[in-house]
Amino acid sequence: ADAAVLAALDGLVVAAGAGEKDEGVLRHAPFVLWPTAVDKGCFEEARSLSVAFSSLVNRISLDSEFLLKYLEPISEHDDFTARLLRLYKTVTVESDLDGTDRQHLSLGIFRFDYFLEPTSP
């Protein structure tokens, strides 16, 4: 119960969708507190998707116009995102504008947490 309360206090909530029994009711987002065994088939499916998903994340990270368009409105309400965006602008956007040489190599370290959803029969 403590983890669910903490999740709600940190804004990790989702509303029940249209047509669901508790439509509009807020529930904590799904989470697990410890490692859980995963079916080998599900693991292999997630593993096969990880290359494409990492490629997508990498391409988005290199698209300044896209990032600024969607993160600037968020940064007005979220201090963490605002700090990250300021750092991003300093390293990439501003150095491009003032002609400063910037490093053209980058390292991406991605972490993806997968949650298995039960399938309907």
Side-chain angles (χ1 to χ4, degrees):
D2 290 340
V5 170
L6 183 59
L9 291 173
D10 285 338
L12 300 172
V13 293
V14 293
E20 290 187 48
K21 179 177 72 171
D22 298 328
E23 183 176 337
V25 172
L26 295 178
R27 296 180 273 196
H28 62 77
F31 63 88
V32 294
L33 298 176
W34 53 84
T36 305
V38 176
D39 174 75
K40 184 175 181 173
C42 291
F43 174 80
E44 291 299 332
E45 182 179 8
R47 187 171 151 203
S48 71
L49 294 171
S50 68
V51 173
F53 197 67
S54 293
S55 178
L56 173 65
V57 169
N58 183 56
R59 290 183 64 143
I60 290 171
S61 75
L62 299 174
D63 188 341
S64 294
E65 184 179 328
F66 178 87
L67 288 172
L68 295 175
K69 176 181 178 182
Y70 291 99
L71 291 180
E72 281 183 330
I74 295 169
S75 71
E76 295 171 9
H77 306 283
D78 182 70
D79 291 337
F80 180 74
T81 302
R83 289 193 308 267
L84 285 177
L85 200 54
R86 273 196 303 275
L87 177 62
Y88 174 78
K89 287 178 179 179
T90 300
V91 171
T92 60
V93 178
E94 291 173 11
S95 63
D96 286 346
L97 294 176
D98 68 12
T100 305
D101 286 337
R102 70 176 166 120
Q103 183 172 323
H104 292 282
L105 297 175
S106 63
L107 170 66
I109 300 175
F110 306 117
R111 174 186 166 165
F112 305 111
D113 295 322
Y114 297 95
F115 288 91
L116 301 176
E117 291 284 330
T119 56
S120 300

